[in-house]
Each structure stands twice: as C-alpha cells, then as structure tokens.
Amino acid sequence: MSIWEYANPKKFMALSGRVLPWVAGLAALTLAAGLVWGFFLTPDDYKQGSTVKIIYIHVPAASAAINAWAVMLIASLVWIVRRHHVSALVAKAAAPVGLTFTLIALVTGAFWGQPMWGTWWAWDPRLTNFLIFALFYLGYIALWEAVENPDTAADLTGVLCIVGSVFALLSRYAVLFWNQGLHQGASLSMDAQENVSDVYWIPLVICIAGFELLFLALVLVRARTEIRTRRAQALMARERLA
Amino acid sequence: MEMRVSDLAVQRGGIVVLEGLSFTLPPGRALVLRGPNGVGKTTLLRTLAGLQPAVAGEVSIPAESLAYASHADGLKATLTVAENLAFWAAVYGTGLVEDALAGMNLRELRNRWAASLSAGQKRRLGLARLLVSGRPIWVLDEPTVSLDAASVALFAAVVRAHLAAGGSALLATHIDLGLDEAEVLDLTPFRATSRAARQDAGFQEAFL
Amino acid sequence: MEMRVSDLAVQRGGIVVLEGLSFTLPPGRALVLRGPNGVGKTTLLRTLAGLQPAVAGEVSIPAESLAYASHADGLKATLTVAENLAFWAAVYGTGLVEDALAGMNLRELRNRWAASLSAGQKRRLGLARLLVSGRPIWVLDEPTVSLDAASVALFAAVVRAHLAAGGSALLATHIDLGLDEAEVLDLTPFRATSRAARQDAGFQEAFL
Amino acid sequence: MTALLIRDLRLAVRAGGGFGLGLAFFLLVAVLVPLGVGPEGGTLGKIAPGILWVGALLSCLLSLDRIFALDFEDGSLDLLATSPLPMEGAVAVKALAHWLVTGLPLTLAAPVLGVLLYLPASGYGWLVVSLLIGTPALSVIGAFGAALTVGVKRGGLLLSLLVLPLYVPTLIFGAEVVKRGAAGMEIATPLALLAAITAGAAALLPFASAAAIRVNLR
Amino acid sequence: MTALLIRDLRLAVRAGGGFGLGLAFFLLVAVLVPLGVGPEGGTLGKIAPGILWVGALLSCLLSLDRIFALDFEDGSLDLLATSPLPMEGAVAVKALAHWLVTGLPLTLAAPVLGVLLYLPASGYGWLVVSLLIGTPALSVIGAFGAALTVGVKRGGLLLSLLVLPLYVPTLIFGAEVVKRGAAGMEIATPLALLAAITAGAAALLPFASAAAIRVNLR
Amino acid sequence: MMPDLGKYAFAVLGSYGVTALLLAGLLVLTLVQRARAKRLLAEAEARMEKADG
Ligand code: HEM
Ligand SMILES: Nc1ncnc2c1ncn2[C@@H]1O[C@H](COP(=O)(O)OP(=O)(O)OP(=O)(O)O)[C@@H](O)[C@H]1O
Ligand SMILES: Nc1ncnc2c1ncn2[C@@H]1O[C@H](COP(=O)(O)OP(=O)(O)OP(=O)(O)O)[C@@H](O)[C@H]1O
Ligand SMILES: [Mg+2]
Ligand SMILES: [Mg+2]
C-alpha cells in the first residue's frame, strides 16, 4: 500500500485516530520527563547560573518551529503536485503550531538575553531571522483566513509557502551579511554540541523529542478538526441544494 | 467553429450545481440558456469561458474563438468610450473600433468618460467589446440587463448579423431578447441531484 | 403620506437632464417611470431620495417616510443574509427581519454569506431591505434586474401588498413588472432642451 | 448607532476585514527600520520614540480608506444617507470603530515593539499613555480625510496626502511626550496639547466629515 | 502587450490614478521622520540611507493593490484572462507599469529627499543606483503579493503583511549599498546581490503570480 | 524541592511561565475548535440521517 492512500480523508481519520492517543501520551511523558529532569535535577552553569535551564524550552521550541516550516513546505508541494486534500490541511494545521513555537523561542530567548547580554532584544542574525520567520507564519495564516474558498486558499497558501521558503533562505543570507551577531559566541559556554556536558545534553535531547512529539500531536488534532469542518461544510452545502 | 459540450458537470463553491449537460452550438446558431435564479447559468458560462475547471464531461471549443461577457462590463471609468474599445481592439489584434461604435450606437458618446454613462449606456459599451474582439463564438451572461427596448432590439439585430456572418452565440437571460430563431435550453432539468455524480466532484466532495 | 413633485428639474454632471416634471403619488398607488437609457431616471430617483439637490421645482415628501433602493444593493459580502437584514432593521428601528425573509423567499438562504449568492439571490436580498425599513414610500431603481420570472411575480405581489397596506411605490424600469394597476409615466417628453431652463442650472451652466 | 458599531466591528473581524493587520503593519515598520538603519542599539534607542509614532501613524493611515470606501462602493453609503441615522453620528461611530480595531490594539502592542527598537525603559509608560491619548485623534482626522476622498476611485494615496499634514501636530506632540518621558523630563505641556487636539478633533470634525460625505454622494 | 502597458500608464496619469502619489508619500515619510525623531543632523545623517530605503519600500507597497484589484473589481481581469494575452505576460507588463509610475519617479526624486535627511554627499550617487537596481524587484515581488490577494476585498493590509517579509533581502542589500557608499567603502558585493535578486525575481515570479491569479479567478 | 534559581529567578520562571501560557493558549484553542467541529459535524450528520432515512 502506498503512503498516498492516507491522503484520503477517511483513511487519514482512521489511522490518525488510532495513533493520536499514543502520540499525545508519549509527548506528555517525554516533555514531563525532560522538563522535570532539566529544571529540577541539573546543576547551574558556572557562568550562566540558573538561566541555563531556559535551554530546555528555547532550543527545542526553536528547532520544532523550523521543522514545522519544513512540514508545511513538503505538504504544500504535495498538495500542488498531487492535489491530496489532506496534505493541504496538514499544512494549514501546522502553521499556528509553528507560530506558537516561534513565539516561544523568541520570548524565552528574550528572557535569556536580558541577564546574559543585558538586553531583551538584539538585532542578531539568528534572532532577526526568527522574527521574519514569525512574520511569514502570520502572513501565511492570515492568507488562509482571508480566502473563503478552501481550494483556492490551499493553492494560494501553497504558492506563498514555496516562494516564501526561497525568500527565507535569501533573508537568512542577507541578515548574516548585514550583522555578524552575538547569539553564538557572546556568553555561551556551551553553544556547540561537543561543548555541552552530558549533564545538560541528555535532558535537552529528551526535551527536543518531547517538543517534536507535541508538534505531531497538535498537528494531528488540528488536521482532524479541519477535516471534520470540511466534511460538515460539504454536508451542509449538499443539504442546501437538496 | 462548433462548440460541443457533452455530459458536462460544473461546480460553484465546491458544490456541483449542474450535471449531464450536453449540447452543440454550430456556426450561425444562437442558444438561449434559461433557468431560475441560482440554477447555475453564470457558473456554466464561466466554465465554458475557461475561467474555472469543469468537474466532469467534455467541452470542445476551437482555440482562440470565444469571447466572454460577464455580469460586469470591465470598463475603465477614467478612459473614454473610444479608448476603452481601442484597448480591447489592440488586445484582440483587430481594428474594428469604428464599426463597433457604430454597431452599438455609441458614436455620439465616443469622447465621454465611461464614468459619466448611464447604466444602459455602460452596458452598450460592454457589448461593443464583443464586436471588437472579432471572435466567432459569443458567450454572454445577461447581456441586456438595464437596456431599454430600443437597445434590446439593436442588440438583437447585432446578434443576428453576427450569426449571419457565421458566428454563434450562447446567451443566459431572464428576459425576452426578441431572438425568435434562437433555440432555448432550460437548465432546470440539469440541476445536480444524483449522489453518484457528486461523489468525486468539487473539493468538498472528497469529504463526503 | 403623499409625495408631490412640481415642475422639477434635475441635473447630472452639471447638465440639466429632466425638467418640468410634475406628479403626485398618493398612498396605495404605484407609479412606473419609463424612458430610454440615459434619459435621467436614476438621476431623478436620487434627487427624490435627497441624495442630490434639485435644480428647480419642488419636492414634498413627508419626513422619514422614504426608502430608496439603487442599482447597487449595499450588501456586505462577509455578513450572512440574516445579519445583513438585521443591521438595516436596527437602523430603521423595526424588527421585521423574519417577515422580510419570508416575504422575499430567503428563509433557506438565511445563514449563507451574501458573497455566495447568485446575482438574482443578491437582488432579492436587496429588495428585502425595503420590507425591513417599514417605510411607506418606496423609490426603486430597476428593482427586477437579474430576477427570474418567478421572483418578478413574487416582487409584484410584495409591492401589491405594500400598496394595499397604504404604502406607495415609484419604480424605474425597462421591463414589465406585471403591475398592471400601476400608472406609467414616460420621461421622454421631460428631457431638458430649452436653453432657458438650463440657464441657472448646475455649476457648468453658470459659465454658458 | 450601536447597530452600526456592531456591524463595523463584525465586518472588521470577519475574513478579509483587516482586524489585526494594522497591528501587523506597525510591527513591520518596527522590524524594517532596524534592518534598513542598522543594528546599533545607541542610534536605534535615540530614534525609537519618533519611529514608533511614525509607525503608528502609518498603520492608522493604511486602514483609513476602509472607513467609507467599501460602503460607498457597494452602495450602502447611499442607503445609510437616506436612512434615519444622522450622518454626523454615523461618521463618529465609524471613527470609533476604526479606533477600536486599529488605534487601541496598536497602543497595547507598542511596548513590545519598543523592545525591538531599544526604547529606554523609562519611556514605555509614556509611549502607551501618549498613544492612548493621541490615536483617537488619528482616527477622527483620518475619517475626515476618508470622507473627503470617498468618491475618488482608490483614493488611498490621495487620502494619505491630505491627511498626513493634519497628522503633523499629533505626531510632534506625541513623539515629544515619549522622548521627554524617556529622558525623564517634564511632559505636562505636550501631553496637554495632545489631549486638546484629540478633544477638539473629536468634537468638531464629525460635522465637517458628514458635510463632505453628503457632497460626495451628490 | 504594449496596449496593456499604454492603458495602465494612461490610467495611472488620469484623475485619481495615483501617479505622483507614491512620490508624495515618499516625500511625507522623509518629512515626518525628522519631525518625529528630532532635527539633529548627526543622527539623521546616520539613519538617512535606511529611512530612505524604508520610505521607498513603503511607497511602493501602498500602490501595490492597484496592480490587479481594480481590474478584478470591474471585471476586466476576467476578460483579460479570456483574451489572447498570456497571463504571465500581462503580469509582467503590469509590474513594469507599476515600476514606471512608482519606482522610477521615486529613484529620480530620492536625492532631493536625501538633502532633507542630511545624507552625506558621497551617498547620493549610490542612493540612485541602488534604487534603480532594487526597485524593479519591489514591483515584481509586489505584483506577486497583489496576485495572491486579488480576490480578497480590500486586501491592502494583508498584502503588506505578505509582501514585506519578501522585501527584506532587497531592503538590506539596498540600504547597505547606500550606507557603504556614503562611508566610502566597497559596495560591489551588496550591489551584485541586489542585481541578482532583481533579475531572479523578474525571471521567475511572473509565473507564480499568473498561477495565483488564475486560482483567484476560479 | 524547588531549586534555588538565584538572581535569575525572574528570567527562568518568566520563560517557563510564558511558554506554559502560550502552549496552554494553543491547546485550548485547538480543543475548542475540535469541539466545535465535532458538534457541527454531528449535527450535519444527524440531519443527513433524517433526510436519507
Ligand atoms: C529572542 C532571542 C532569541 C532567539 C529568537 C533565539 C533563537 C534561536 C534559534 C533559532 C536557535 C536554533 C535552534 C536550532 O537550530 O535548532 C537557537 C539556539 C540556541 N540559543 Fe537562542 N535565541 C535567542 C536568544 C538566546 C539567548 C539570549 C541565549 C543564551 C544566552 C540563547 C542560547 C541558545 C542556545 C544555547 C542555542 C543552542 C545552540 C545550537 O544548538 O546551535 N538564545 N536560538
Ligand atoms: N461559495 C458558495 N458556496 C455555496 N454555494 C454557492 C457559492 N457561490 C454560489 N453558490 C450557489 O451556486 C448556485 C449557482 O450560482 P450562479 O451564479 O451560477 O446562478 P445563476 O444561474 O447565474 O443565477 P442568476 O440568474 O441569479 O444570476 C447558486 O445557487 C448560488 O447560491
Ligand atoms: N458626469 C456627467 N457628465 C455629463 N453627462 C452625464 C454625466 N453623468 C451622467 N451623465 C448623463 O446623464 C444622463 C442621465 O443618466 P441616468 O443615469 O440618470 O439615466 P437613466 O435614465 O437612469 O439611464 P439607464 O436606464 O441607462 O439607467 C445620461 O445621458 C448620462 O449620460
Ligand atoms: Mg448569474
Ligand atoms: Mg439608471
């Protein structure tokens, strides 16, 4: 059986209904484990003090937000090439989740920057890119909301997502060119993977997994909601004609 | 130059509204579409004009032969009557502006801004676009809205001349056009009802 | 509740288009305005509705008694049919939404966005606004544009009921409304021609 | 009147209605200026009060043409003018609705954007206060401009041109309040002047706007 | 094609067509910013390249919705889509017309406004060059945004939201050219990148825009 | 039990708090939308049953 079978709303509903409780449960478990471990059971960093605990939210949220964009891009491409309705709806469902994670990364970053860099915000390339990222998400969601016909909306947002991705890469480069930034170097005793001692690394990995699972669970629920709404609309429309 | 439609189904807002529609429109003939409000005349004409995809069935229309006129006239308020027509003449690559002005009795208004025309005068200008297009197959959505009796007669004469020259016309309307030679097709029987036809229709049907 | 017009002259774009127009419209009567495109029907109705000043003559209409419906329907595409009507009901301080929905056969469409209505359905909703206004004098500009035969008949019945209840109606139209009891007033003879009348007319004439 | 207010608010929050988009534009100005100007905190902090006020003003401006133009195009303005609502009241209500969907959210969001521009900490309170007092004037003045240009097809930019000069006093006093507040100076005078402008505009301009609309409908 | 270009240009210069208003808006931004920020030459001179580029960008943005919305509303877009013109060509021509009535006048006027903002003398040449090379990209990207939002009633602000993030690279490189030029530094890299963006956008985006329009007309 | 966060308590608790708020908001929104969709669909299906049967 090809994976395209699941592009059929009925099959998708059946399958997602079966996996959803497991995904949601696993997400809750890993998140709880990772956060409790990170928050209560790790020592303070010698330089950053207790602020290092923010990493257990900041980094997973940031990477999940980036992955959400990737999911939307792939789903949009699938919709445009193969016109499977479920993939368009998955893209739609992922956007608000991605936006929330982006906001979380931004806010936790700001809370972290305050003690570390002495400022809530810096026009650092990474940060700037994330801000532009959040704007992309906002525009994308607004476009979905503004167009009434769902097929039209799916097509338009699909095109936007693809063009937007190209420009996101461009912006990344442009912003790097514009400012060399302090995100990495400034005060981090542990930016690159090999510098992170295991004490922090293991709970961090658990948290990253937790956020990804949470993303998956939320997207599944939201996609199921979208499918239900569309089905209800279809039924009501048919009723009207009958 | 024949338009052939077989077993066509069209959708609006994701719902199939008409299905099982077949007809041919040979050169020299006119076909009048009738049917109550909301039956799907506009939807059908837009589909034939290529603005939206058909749900099922086949439409065969020779390439570059169709001219479409919608509910709206597409006039630019700040261009004069003659400038409006000249633009479309250039787009279609014809030089028929003068003939069209004469044909729709617009000569006297040629230097007026389109903004200052009355409802019926605007409509006449919208119809003059067809003459300028030089296309043989006319697809018209309620062409005589707002026209007075004299202008309706003028329009009927223009359509007759078009048919005599080997053109054809498909017109949706609620009122009498005075085109007695035209066949009439009532769309009411083609209202989509059957479950089967709806099954794999528009985007909503994937969810039924 | 009588509308009285005497020796009225109206202008559009600074040019007097109609002059010397007099009529009365007593309660219970309907008056149909006819005349070729561009004669000035729309201009006259806008003047009566108080949207533009008269050039000469007198118009006497009891205060707060007139409801006007123009070529455009004033519908909000993102409100539902019921919400559109409810707004006007609130503005006019009446609570007649349900009656109006029933009257113009819109009950089934009540929760549809106005954007998704067909041309004729939109027009029906525009006309329902009149019912909701509770006003006795209706002034209507081509009310039956885009309506199918059944809806035209429905509209005629609505107007008849309005007249029977002591209201009155002034309608500009090119097509037959099936209101045989209505008087007809052809505006062609009132076309402004005399220099004198134009003399002190709109802003342009000051320079003649 | 309340019906009109509710309708306008409802239209604003419905699909394509533009609620939140003024806010988005404000955000975009706050993001673009550092991208153009460069990331140094010193410069940005110094220009922050001015840029934030200019941004608020531009966001207001952009949504102004919605106040009457949509109603004009679909014919509702004709119908409103022949309805029992007095035009002055309708204008005032529409300006209020505009403020509720544009000025108010903007005011609430401003402190967050202040962070992006390195606004000095002492300035945040005054930023909010000055916007709260000043933005109603922007809506009322804007409604006047919108009324003047309502007949003009897509008069958006003409509108900007007419309205921006009228916005100048509000801008100057508003930005001054924030600048002085941020620098810890006395702010009573510009604040009083700002309040006076708002009060005066709200009391008088609806009459002028109503007259302009009546003329445009003729 | 030429007919379409001539028509669009003619419409732009006719009453209410918006020619010159983009320019006027640019001027207003250049005037308002000193009013909001304060008159010190040092600060202004430093932020001038950024502000001028942001101003140019906002002026472009404001006239974007005219590109297709008017044609959509009066039905001409339907008629154009059924005409023998290929939609890709029509989109490209309309973007070109937009540039001719907005980007080009803006470029020519920019040096004058530079004076208002105390732009250092060495920057004027690069300001003009960067705008000349960069503004076509603004028109083409803007046409894409306009195509996406053409079905949306008064999508002006949604359009801004969609388009501004896409403008970021152009803005950064454009302002960088002027800043470096004014400081006498090397400008080859940002200028080359700016040109590359314009060329790439002009070559590829009309196809995406045409697709979006066809979808919106369905 | 509670670890001593020292002078950074505000930053750490603030980020955890805001994250909790944002996630809770998204979760509530998601669940509300889900409930509404379920209700709408159930109603529509009930009506269909009646119409068909
Ligand atoms: C609003 C401010 C901030 C934003 C938007 C932000 C954004 C990001 C992003 C996008 C990532 C990359 C995640 C990934 O690639 O998987 C990241 C990683 C990280 N951030 Fe931040 N950040 C901010 C502030 C801070 C601050 C103030 C610190 C600490 C002083 C910090 C420490 C880290 C660390 C340690 C990583 C992991 C490094 C790595 O894996 O390369 N961030 N942040
Ligand atoms: N977005 C939508 N969702 C559901 N139904 C819709 C939508 N848009 C239109 N419809 C319906 O589709 C049907 C077909 O509309 P269409 O405009 O083709 O009718 P028409 O025959 O041209 O009517 P008229 O004579 O009134 O112009 C109508 O019943 C209309 O209500
Ligand atoms: N700005 C203007 N300058 C000059 N003449 C104008 C202007 N605007 C309108 N007119 C003319 O005024 C006349 C009256 O127009 P009006 O719209 O009242 O006609 P009408 O009787 O309603 O026509 P229709 O039946 O076509 O709707 C028309 O001949 C029109 O061309
Ligand atoms: Mg129709
Ligand atoms: Mg008329």
Side-chain angles (χ1 to χ4, degrees), chain F residues 8-29:
Chain F
Y8 300 131
F10 173 71
V12 176
L13 293 180
S15 12
Y16 276 76
V18 172
T19 304
L21 272 181
L22 281 171
L23 281 183
L26 179 66
L27 203 64
V28 167
L29 183 74

Side-chain angles (χ1 to χ4, degrees), chain C residues 46 49 51-53 64 66 68-70 72-76 78-80 83 87-88 90-92 113 129 135, chain D residues 3-4 7 10-11 14-16 70-71 73-85 214 216-218:
Chain C
R46 285 179 61 87
L51 289 170
Q52 55 179 72
E64 308 257 300
L66 183 142
Y68 168 67
S70 63
D73 289 316
L75 305 178
K76 290 294 164 190
T78 52
L79 296 183
T80 65
E83 284 170 346
F87 167 64
W88 290 110
V91 165
Y92 283 95
W113 304 123
R129 214 195 81 248
R135 291 283 175 93
Chain D
L4 185 59
R7 182 192 76 146
R10 189 180 270 160
L11 285 173
R14 290 278 160 88
L70 288 178
D71 280 345
E73 278 162 25
D74 66 14
S76 341
L77 203 56
D78 276 356
L79 303 178
L80 266 178
T82 59
S83 84
L85 287 187
R214 280 200 215 92
N216 269 328
L217 287 184
R218 273 221 287 268

